Amino acid sequence: MVCARPGDTCSARMSVCSSTRSDGENIDELDAVSWYHFDLSRHAAETLLLSNGVDGSFLLRTSQKGPECFALSVRAKDSVKHFHVRRICGRYSFGFNEFPSLLEFTSHMANQPLLGSESGNLVVLKHPYPRQVEEPSIYESVCVHTAMQSGRRHSDLVPTAQALGTKEGYLVKQGAFIKTWKQRWFTLNRYELKYFKDKMFAEPIRTLDLTACSAVQFDYSRERVNCFCLVFPERTFYLCARTGVEADEWIKILRWKLSQIRKGR
């Protein structure tokens, strides 16, 4: 089995092989795909691709939608997008296509790597992210174990992590003083919603801290369709998406972010 490296391209390195255990028992054919990460969670996939992947890195993982459901997670610049994959009687359903075998499915990923989501954004599959990465066997030595006592117990060690739930895309925003509408590039990462003059600009015009946001909802007061608003103490931001589906996606993920913030509080 040839493992893919993060820097390799699909056409050069994507490989699939069948495998059988020494006792003769067959294993899942997906086990032979070097970029299949088993039951890796959505949060872990986003963390992995954003911290160690590059634009176009992707992996396949088990989805929580149900049995024989999978997710193709792809890094698109500073966000991670997730696409449904279904396996029915050995056939793989992806988008509008159905593939009779795993080999044809993965060959399609290599030969036709361009994906388009309902929001209109295009994603290019470039680098399969392997589940096995060579690691050095180097560990730090404990030289001092302080005798200071904090008074905490094991029950006080509550695991916490910021929710990722990334998203990006163009939205039309209404100005604060001059009520004109201008298209801006938005990125959502952790609890920050940033908007830029355009996609190629590195510095945002403004960063909105979602911990101060009280509500996200559809808005019908503007003379535009597919509008929604974010309510902050000092201002309400009015945004419009190109389609109702895209507006609904933004509202859902922003509301989910607010729910995570409230749970944290």
Side-chain angles (χ1 to χ4, degrees), residues 77 121-122 168 170 184-185 196-202:
K77 293 198 174 177
N121 295 321
L122 296 178
E168 61 181 10
Y170 282 109
R184 299 297 186 213
W185 177 256
F196 303 75
K197 187 173 182 179
D198 209 333
K199 190 174 183 178
M200 70 285 297
F201 284 78

Side-chain angles (χ1 to χ4, degrees), residues 139-169:
Y139 299 89
E140 296 290 332
S141 299
V142 177
C143 297
V144 176
H145 199 149
T146 178
M148 181 187 72
Q149 296 187 16
S150 65
R152 295 194 302 168
R153 301 181 180 182
H154 74 278
S155 57
D156 297 320
L157 302 177
V158 181
T160 59
Q162 284 193 10
L164 293 175
T166 60
K167 187 171 177 58
E168 61 181 10

Side-chain angles (χ1 to χ4, degrees), residues 92 151 174:
Y92 290 81
Q174 188 180 51

Side-chain angles (χ1 to χ4, degrees), residues 72-84:
L72 184 70
S73 300
V74 189
R75 175 168 174 174
K77 293 198 174 177
D78 294 326
S79 69
V80 176
K81 302 183 184 301
H82 307 273
F83 301 90
H84 285 299

